[in-house]
Amino acid sequence: MPLHPGPGLLDAVVAIPVRDEADHLPACLEALAQQQQSAGLAVLLLLNDCRDGSAGIARRWAASAGIPVLLQEVRLPPAARHVGEARGQALDAAALWLEACGPSSSGEALLLTTDADSRVAPDWLQANRRALGAGADAVAGFVEYDLAAAPDLPPALAARLQAQARYAALLARIDSLADAEPHDPWPRHRMASGASLALTLAAYRRIGGLPRLPVGEDRALAAAVQAAGLRLRHAPEVRVATSCRRLGRAAGGAAATLARWQAEPELTGDPQLEAPGAAWRRAVLRGQARAAHARGGLAGLAPLLGLEAAILDPLQGPPFAAAWQEVERRSLRLAARAVPPALLPSAMLAAQALILRRGGVQAWR
């Protein structure tokens, strides 16, 4: 049974979907138990048709954790047996728990989520709270693969993961030089991973909850936050380590991607890891479109965006992020193409040169 804090004493709930995670769950839970300044924190574990020892591990930890813990055991129907539904149900239950406890005495109620095969840093909760206190409505943390805990990881795959992380940091620097956002200043990153997402309860209700997608529900949540005109902070100080397993629980998820890269090393990765020149042009166009949207004249950029003015006119009304998402969806000119793995070293050199030419410093990593 969960511990029930009194009214106003609970202001942050971490929602975690769990399915057969006995190997990783103890480290995940121990990291949560070690959080600094954890007053007001609770944990909700949604145990999704677990058939290993995960439920027992969760019950034993709940009995000794010293913080409120709520366990929910479910068996999702086949059509909804995916991480989007499981994480969504966990977050929905966490939101109801926060609301049942009444208004918080310490400020805005906070929903967080991580993965059962991940370990949050000791200051994870504290760093999320600082970012939200600085004006963000939602926070995407920085997630790193735990290479040290994966001795069986092929060296070539480990090198690729490290190179992609360094390159992503360079592209984030390019973004900040070409299209700086006041609420998401440098240093920042570009990811939105279910291993580290946080948002206010009010923001979660405003976007209607987590999009129930079989894959990519984390990025969809971030996109929904931005499309609603809310402020998303990509905070590099909010850190999480996640496993490098290649046999995962979600079809098409991170583990499946690593397995494909191991089997076929030349497969391209995330389309967001595009060539530096393309990333610069995209960010410049986004900045121009942002300014035009604020002036009420987005349709004037039709030739640059490769779209008809009739398509852009209706996009003047929604928040800019929603309009830009639609522009990227419709414009063939803005279709992203990932740099092939073999070309990552030269792409990194080109990105560094571009950053220096534009007056920027190196990436934060």
Side-chain angles (χ1 to χ4, degrees):
M1 294 294 292
L3 300 173
H4 293 285
L9 297 181
L10 179 64
D11 66 2
V13 178
V14 183
I16 308 174
V18 180
R19 186 177 183 191
D20 292 344
E21 292 286 4
D23 291 341
H24 297 99
L25 189 57
C28 170
L29 298 177
E30 182 58 27
L32 290 169
Q34 298 299 320
Q35 287 303 289
Q36 301 165 3
Q37 299 184 12
S38 61
L41 175 66
V43 175
L44 184 145
L45 300 174
L46 187 127
L47 301 162
N48 174 22
D49 195 21
C50 291
R51 304 190 180 189
D52 63 353
S54 295
I57 291 169
R59 283 192 286 269
R60 289 190 294 274
W61 183 76
S64 61
I67 59 175
V69 180
L70 180 60
L71 306 181
Q72 292 199 334
E73 297 192 52
V74 301
R75 187 172 185 180
L76 300 178
R81 201 166 293 163
H82 53 72
V83 67
E85 183 64 32
R87 195 185 305 279
Q89 287 198 18
L91 283 166
D92 285 352
L96 290 173
W97 193 8
L98 279 170
E99 289 166 341
C101 288
S104 168
S105 60
S106 61
E108 183 72 67
L110 174 60
L111 286 169
L112 308 99
T113 187
T114 187
D115 289 329
D117 68 331
S118 301
R119 293 178 294 105
V120 301
D123 64 345
W124 181 69
L125 174 64
Q126 188 179 5
N128 273 297
R129 281 176 165 159
R130 280 198 302 266
L132 290 159
D137 299 295
V139 181
F142 182 73
V143 181
E144 293 181 286
Y145 282 110
D146 191 355
L147 301 178
D152 63 330
L153 193 71
L157 182 55
R160 174 175 179 167
L161 295 178
Q162 291 174 317
Q164 288 184 165
R166 290 195 298 271
Y167 187 53
L170 291 166
L171 294 182
R173 184 61 178 130
I174 287 173
D175 282 348
S176 72
L177 288 170
D179 180 31
E181 295 185 78
H183 69 270
D184 199 14
W186 182 257
R188 62 180 295 275
H189 59 81
R190 297 171 116 211
M191 67 176 61
S193 167
S196 184
L197 289 172
L199 70 169
T200 65
L201 176 59
Y204 189 71
R205 290 305 190 203
R206 181 166 168 181
I207 65 173
L210 180 81
R212 300 299 213 262
L213 300 179
V215 177
E217 86 293 344
D218 38 17
R219 288 188 180 184
L221 178 87
V225 166
Q226 293 173 303
L230 300 174
R231 294 159 296 189
L232 174 66
R233 170 66 178 144
H234 295 86
E237 70 275 13
V238 177
R239 304 185 76 90
V240 177
T242 196
S243 75
C244 299
R245 65 182 178 192
R246 277 84 77 204
L247 182 60
R249 309 295 179 263
T257 298
L258 292 186
R260 287 198 305 273
W261 289 348
Q262 180 175 335
E264 301 179 65
E266 294 309 311
L267 277 180
T268 55
D270 189 339
Q272 289 190 2
L273 298 179
E274 59 187 343
W280 176 264
R281 289 190 295 273
R282 181 185 305 276
V284 167
L285 277 174
R286 187 173 59 243
Q288 292 173 337
R290 191 188 308 278
H293 186 270
R295 296 192 303 268
L298 188 58
L301 291 180
L304 289 176
L305 298 174
L307 294 171
E308 298 291 333
I311 293 175
L312 295 174
D313 275 333
L315 302 183
Q316 192 56 55
F320 172 72
W324 183 253
Q325 288 169 18
E326 186 65 11
V327 165
E328 287 197 307
R329 188 182 74 83
R330 288 174 171 264
S331 175
L332 294 177
R333 191 170 295 176
L334 292 173
R337 296 176 181 82
V339 171
L343 298 182
L344 274 175
S346 59
M348 282 192 279
L349 290 175
Q352 290 167 344
L354 190 156
I355 289 168
L356 292 173
R357 285 200 309 272
R358 300 295 176 175
V361 296
Q362 294 291 327
W364 54 269
R365 296 195 72 238

